[in-house]
Amino acid sequence: MNGIVQDLKCLIAGEVSDSLELLTEVSQDFGGIYQKSPQVVVTPKNPRDIAQTVKYASAKGLVISSRAAGHSLGGQSLNQDGIVLNMKNLDGIRDIQKDQLWFKADAGTSWNQVVDACVPDGLVPPVLTNYFGVSLGGTHSAGGIGAASFLYGNQADNCLGVEVVTAEGDIVWCTPEENSELFNHVLCGYNQFGIITQVQHKLRVYPSQTRTYLLFYDDLDALLHDKRILVTEQRIDHLVSFPVPCLQGISRATGFIQPLIQWFYTLRITVEANSLEEIDDKQILAGLNFYRHIHTEDLGFAQFIEPMIQVDSKEIAHPWMDVFLAASSAKDYIETTLKKLPTFLDISKTQMGCFCLVNRNNTKPMFRLPQEEELIVGFGIYPSIPKSQVQPILAELKKLSNLSLEMGGKRYLTCWIDFTIQQWQSQFGDYWPEVNEIKSKYDPKGIFNSGFFEYEHITHQFIEDVAKSAIAV
């Protein structure tokens, strides 16, 4: 183990450590479900350090993973017995082009840094997630969705270029025109095909004002109908809804105490404008079937985009799960899920969300959506629970995950995932053979982010290399 540290210290300018404290720090992620122990943590100073480390890992048969903020939910940034790249020092904003509407920044840069740098100039990325503490490399590797994704796609769809370290240790720039195959697969590819070190991303000019409407529904059909109208007619700029449980009483008819719950739904929609006088409330709300209009709120844009959620990972697990469903399947899935959730979760403390995507705006092949319909409904369950309760809750969530696949849905892979090889095939459908081919082409030894995707095969050469490495160590 000390030999690996000494070897890498001779190769790179950054830090190399096998201290127990640092290894423990990177052994878990925000999800808090899995724990993996790497041998070494490398904190690169520049992309060349990453390239040298990748070459070394390849030669020694060591797996390698990258980690910035560590906000993965299912072990995607973890590593067993290999090398973790701690990207925290690669956090600089390189350029902001106001006229051309793009910025360039290192992969370890947080979205907080981007917003703080761009908003004073009247610019903002087209899509922002609901928490800004995550990194550019992390969300571009996953997709990155937000309340404006039905208009602009995911964050990876707004990427103009990426610098990538390949499995051969080459540093290459990728765009839709240059190294396009690698570009299209490192985005939403969970570091399976290369390591993103720098990102060039779109910006847009934002209007100064926003108006948000909070609408209350007592009928899921009405909610889904109104979402379709709002999205297809593009009346609004941001949309998200939340199931709200209301305990009506209890029943003992089955021999067990069973809560009787009525589900309601809150829809939050927002319109952007250069002045509030431009907004026509009647036009925005025309023909909608809400039960009650609860609240209207006017905010300046910079205040509006401030994240509303705070996260705390201490001694807490986050077995979060997002599913993507064709709009016609959404009602059945959501109703079934809401019926089952109270049997294993405290729904009064469990956050949920429902959002919309549009197929044509999501262009990256690794970001899978049901293809039979244009409108996609996303549904997310976000429990925060003591780690002692994780396993029984995961068993129940797995049933709901399986149900989504059986109904033709897809999973958002940034969350907790526990797939069989058949379910990986279901996730990618006809594209699954190509995913395996791309993996074999760009990572033939299987050194990148091993243990997350379950591919149909890994090369014999990789098996031989790992065996030789184990003997050497």
Side-chain angles (χ1 to χ4, degrees), residues 232-450:
T232 56
E233 295 183 4
Q234 296 189 2
R235 295 189 194 180
I236 55 172
D237 299 291
H238 306 263
L239 176 151
V240 66
S241 63
F242 311 95
V244 181
C246 181
L247 181 63
Q248 302 293 308
I250 59 172
S251 171
R252 295 178 292 177
T254 60
F256 301 96
I257 295 176
Q258 181 177 353
L260 299 175
I261 296 167
Q262 173 70 45
W263 286 95
F264 296 90
Y265 310 90
T266 301
L267 175 63
R268 184 188 300 272
I269 55 175
T270 300
V271 178
E272 302 174 5
N274 288 313
S275 70
L276 296 177
E277 288 72 23
E278 295 178 7
I279 302 174
D280 185 338
D281 294 342
K282 290 183 178 180
Q283 182 181 12
I284 298 299
L285 303 178
L288 301 185
N289 300 290
F290 48 86
Y291 170 66
R292 182 172 295 170
H293 179 179
I294 298 175
H295 181 62
T296 299
E297 184 172 70
D298 295 334
L299 292 173
F301 187 89
Q303 185 180 2
F304 163 72
I305 63 168
E306 292 177 3
M308 291 185 290
I309 70 165
Q310 302 295 324
V311 297
D312 183 6
S313 59
K314 294 180 180 178
E315 302 305 319
I316 296 293
H318 303 90
W320 292 0
M321 186 177 80
D322 280 306
V323 303
F324 302 137
L325 302 151
S328 61
S329 303
K331 181 189 176 186
D332 288 345
Y333 180 83
I334 293 171
E335 286 184 336
T336 300
T337 297
L338 294 181
K339 184 177 180 180
K340 291 184 176 181
L341 282 181
T343 66
F344 64 92
L345 278 175
D346 182 350
I347 55 172
S348 68
K349 298 179 180 178
T350 300
Q351 296 185 50
M352 287 171 274
C354 188
F355 49 93
C356 290
L357 300 172
V358 176
N359 246 313
R360 66 177 177 273
N361 295 331
N362 292 269
T363 61
K364 298 298 170 280
M366 294 297 291
F367 188 85
R368 305 306 293 178
L369 296 174
Q371 293 298 304
E372 60 269 21
E373 297 176 27
E374 184 71 353
L375 181 64
I376 304 299
V377 174
F379 186 76
I381 308 166
Y382 314 120
S384 296
I385 59 174
K387 291 183 179 179
S388 60
Q389 299 177 13
V390 165
Q391 292 310 314
I393 288 176
L394 286 181
E396 297 300 322
L397 289 174
K398 184 173 176 62
K399 296 175 184 177
L400 297 176
S401 173
N402 293 345
L403 177 63
S404 71
L405 295 176
E406 291 165 7
M407 296 179 69
K410 306 295 182 182
R411 288 286 310 279
Y412 186 25
L413 298 182
T414 192
C415 297
W416 160 79
I417 297 291
D418 182 19
F419 279 173
T420 63
I421 190 68
Q422 291 76 21
Q423 288 171 327
W424 280 113
Q425 293 169 346
S426 177
Q427 172 75 12
F428 284 93
D430 293 342
Y431 201 69
W432 180 239
E434 189 157 351
V435 172
N436 280 269
E437 290 175 11
I438 297 294
K439 178 68 171 179
S440 296
K441 177 178 179 178
Y442 288 101
D443 185 19
K445 294 186 178 181
I447 65 170
F448 284 145
N449 210 8
S450 175

Side-chain angles (χ1 to χ4, degrees), residues 29-102:
D29 60 5
F30 178 72
I33 298 169
Y34 301 109
Q35 183 167 338
K36 296 184 179 182
S37 300
Q39 291 193 51
V40 173
V41 177
V42 172
T43 305
K45 190 175 181 179
N46 49 51
R48 181 185 176 280
D49 281 356
I50 297 174
Q52 291 295 103
T53 304
V54 167
K55 289 179 183 178
Y56 181 84
S58 179
K60 297 294 184 180
L62 295 168
V63 294
I64 187 166
S65 305
S66 64
R67 173 194 181 103
H71 277 281
S72 61
L73 291 156
Q76 294 91 333
S77 62
L78 303 183
N79 183 294
Q80 184 63 44
D81 297 327
I83 300 171
V84 166
L85 292 168
N86 183 354
M87 308 286 278
K88 67 177 184 179
N89 287 347
L90 297 181
D91 65 347
I93 295 178
R94 299 301 184 103
D95 195 6
I96 299 175
Q97 288 293 325
K98 302 173 187 177
D99 296 335
Q100 299 180 48
L101 295 178
W102 57 259

Side-chain angles (χ1 to χ4, degrees), residues 107-272:
T109 307
S110 74
W111 285 99
N112 262 324
Q113 292 171 265
V114 172
V115 170
D116 288 346
C118 295
V119 164
D121 290 321
L123 303 174
V124 71
V127 175
L128 291 168
T129 60
N130 59 8
Y131 177 64
F132 292 173
V134 290
S135 69
L136 297 184
T139 62
H140 280 80
S141 295
I145 52 179
S149 284
F150 68 92
L151 281 177
Y152 301 109
N154 58 60
Q155 288 181 323
D157 288 307
N158 291 278
C159 180
L160 299 172
V162 284
E163 183 182 76
V164 177
V165 174
T166 70
E168 288 75 32
D170 296 324
I171 302 172
V172 298
W173 185 252
C174 305
T175 70
E177 296 78 29
E178 181 182 3
N179 299 311
S180 59
E181 186 176 65
L182 188 55
F183 174 81
N184 283 319
H185 289 84
V186 293
L187 293 171
C188 309
Y190 295 89
N191 294 320
Q192 292 290 312
F193 312 104
I195 296 172
I196 296 173
T197 56
Q198 196 174 120
V199 169
Q200 183 181 358
H201 192 92
K202 291 180 184 177
L203 293 169
R204 67 180 177 96
V205 177
Y206 64 81
S208 60
Q209 301 298 319
T210 68
R211 174 165 290 169
T212 297
Y213 307 87
L214 204 61
L215 309 176
F216 198 57
Y217 289 77
D218 60 355
D219 182 82
L220 182 56
D221 267 328
L223 173 71
L224 295 173
H225 173 270
D226 288 0
K227 282 187 174 185
R228 181 183 292 274
I229 289 176
L230 291 165
V231 170
T232 56
E233 295 183 4
Q234 296 189 2
R235 295 189 194 180
I236 55 172
D237 299 291
H238 306 263
L239 176 151
V240 66
S241 63
F242 311 95
V244 181
C246 181
L247 181 63
Q248 302 293 308
I250 59 172
S251 171
R252 295 178 292 177
T254 60
F256 301 96
I257 295 176
Q258 181 177 353
L260 299 175
I261 296 167
Q262 173 70 45
W263 286 95
F264 296 90
Y265 310 90
T266 301
L267 175 63
R268 184 188 300 272
I269 55 175
T270 300
V271 178
E272 302 174 5

